[in-house]
Amino acid sequence: MNADMIAAWAVENGFHAMDSGNYRRHDDAGVITIEIKRMSFLLIDERQGLRPRLISRLFKDISLASGSGRLQGLLRDRKIVSTGVV
């Protein structure tokens, strides 16, 4: 998995590019931000009334075969529909 694949997944799943490497999506539950770094990404899940949840993963820890499923799994209790990209 790499930065381009994470970015493509984010766009295909309703995230809007903030600037290079940062994507954000608003929904009824709150805001989700994905910050793509050089060798990893950080997911920030900010729900109304709760403390932000931070999840960081190295690209090398997410295989190509299960990439979209693994990303989807990080957001399992949020209603983000995967399009199969990644």
Side-chain angles (χ1 to χ4, degrees):
M1 189 140 245
N2 61 38
D4 292 335
M5 296 171 87
I6 300 279
W9 179 89
V11 170
E12 290 293 324
N13 285 282
F15 287 81
H16 299 283
M18 304 295 292
D19 55 36
S20 179
N22 291 312
Y23 297 85
R24 183 168 286 159
R25 177 179 169 161
H26 297 266
D27 61 22
D28 293 339
V31 178
I32 302 171
T33 304
I34 298 174
E35 295 181 8
I36 301 173
K37 308 296 184 186
R38 195 167 70 173
M39 296 174 51
S40 65
F41 69 92
L42 173 65
L43 184 139
I44 306 165
D45 185 355
E46 300 174 89
R47 296 177 193 224
Q48 298 170 352
L50 299 175
R51 291 184 349 177
R53 181 173 64 150
L54 304 173
I55 301 169
S56 180
R57 296 286 186 272
L58 292 172
F59 295 142
K60 69 178 183 134
D61 292 340
I62 299 180
S63 69
L64 294 174
S66 66
S68 63
R70 295 283 303 270
L71 289 171
Q72 207 59 35
L74 296 175
L75 301 168
R76 66 186 167 276
D77 50 348
R78 295 293 286 250
K79 293 181 177 153
I80 294 180
V81 177
S82 177
T83 60
V85 172
V86 176

